[in-house]
Amino acid sequence: MTNPDNHPMKLYGMAQSRSFRALWALEESGLQYEYVAVKLFADSSVDDAAQSENYLQLNTQGKVPTLVDGDLVLTESIAILNYIARKAPECGLLAATSAAECAHHDELVCFILAELEQPLWSNGKHRFALPAEQRIPQMLDTASFEFAKAVAALDHLLERQPEIESAFAVGDSFSMVDILLAQTFNWAMRFEFEVPEKYVELRNRHYQRPAAQRALAVIE
């Protein structure tokens, strides 16, 4: 896919949703981009609403993020992060160098998406995202239970790495896995889940990166 007019990429997002991880990655990458704020819960008649006709042509689910680069449209946050990392390899977001590190990188990405963030989204769906008649209050306790299990499993995944004593999840440099971990634990803290202090510190440390601060300024 090409961008013949050399226009910057467009990232459609909303505040600290999953789109923030893509916004952060763009700031880490140094690539030119335009950020377009989307209103997820606005009426479809509102021009910048996620349910507007124009936006649904890009993202049929009416969700964020959506990345547009020329005629390429991506609507899954992990695919967007991978695309950014590959488009700007010098930024180091794909930090793994050996086959073993690549495998561990992939394992952590899959785990974060499938296990660590899943109970957070379950909590959000059953508190505000689903229609009221579809919400199950008991799911909130289940989500807390599942999150605690996922955190314990994450401990073991990270302990398998000799470099775990370093500041980063994979290898000895910052990568997209660190973005995912920090953003997911930030999500957990905002939703008032119990987050171990070491992961609060991880979130705080990575959110102090200049790129993260610039991304936060974009959505303020």
Side-chain angles (χ1 to χ4, degrees):
M1 299 291 181
T2 60
N3 190 344
D5 296 325
N6 200 31
H7 290 162
M9 291 181 283
K10 283 188 178 182
L11 175 67
Y12 294 81
M14 188 199 77
Q16 295 195 55
S17 66
R18 288 188 185 96
S19 61
F20 183 75
R21 59 183 59 158
L23 179 60
W24 184 351
L26 281 168
E27 285 292 341
E28 294 281 354
S29 75
L31 295 169
Q32 288 191 327
Y33 72 93
E34 176 186 350
Y35 182 76
V36 182
V38 175
K39 295 176 181 175
L40 283 184
F41 303 109
D43 186 85
S44 60
S45 62
V46 178
D47 288 342
D48 54 358
Q51 297 301 318
S52 68
E53 182 178 349
N54 287 339
Y55 188 70
L56 290 174
Q57 289 178 0
L58 294 175
N59 189 324
T60 58
Q61 296 186 86
K63 295 181 178 181
V64 292
T66 299
L67 183 79
V68 178
D69 190 15
D71 53 0
L72 174 68
V73 179
L74 296 173
T75 60
E76 290 294 331
S77 64
I78 302 303
I80 292 171
L81 263 67
N82 275 320
Y83 180 69
I84 294 167
R86 292 187 174 109
K87 189 155 184 169
E90 67 280 358
C91 73
L93 289 178
L94 289 174
T97 54
S98 67
E101 280 188 352
C102 287
H104 190 61
H105 169 279
D106 292 347
E107 182 178 45
L108 282 169
V109 168
C110 292
F111 177 83
I112 294 165
L113 188 66
E115 301 293 339
L116 191 64
E117 77 161 35
Q118 180 271 328
L120 304 180
W121 181 222
S122 292
N123 177 286
K125 285 189 291 187
H126 290 276
R127 281 199 298 118
F128 58 82
L130 288 172
E133 64 273 15
Q134 299 297 328
R135 299 175 197 171
I136 303 173
Q138 293 87 341
M139 275 297 299
L140 302 182
D141 289 338
T142 300
S144 295
F145 170 77
E146 290 186 314
F147 182 74
K149 281 187 62 179
V151 169
L154 177 66
D155 289 341
H156 290 291
L157 286 175
L158 293 176
E159 284 170 1
R160 289 187 346 210
Q161 284 212 118
E163 64 270 20
I164 190 56
E165 296 302 324
S166 77
F168 308 108
V170 179
D172 58 1
S173 62
F174 186 82
S175 72
M176 61 179 277
V177 176
D178 297 299
I179 290 178
L180 293 172
L181 284 173
Q183 191 267 334
T184 303
F185 281 118
N186 183 69
W187 184 354
M189 292 160 64
R190 288 171 49 230
F191 278 16
E192 299 183 345
F193 278 70
E194 290 189 17
V195 178
E197 185 60 31
K198 65 179 178 180
Y199 292 126
V200 173
E201 292 173 358
L202 179 152
R203 179 267 179 213
N204 293 343
R205 182 172 67 251
H206 292 327
Y207 267 63
Q208 289 304 309
R209 291 178 64 83
Q213 291 296 303
R214 291 194 299 271
L216 286 169
V218 169
I219 62 174
E220 285 181 350

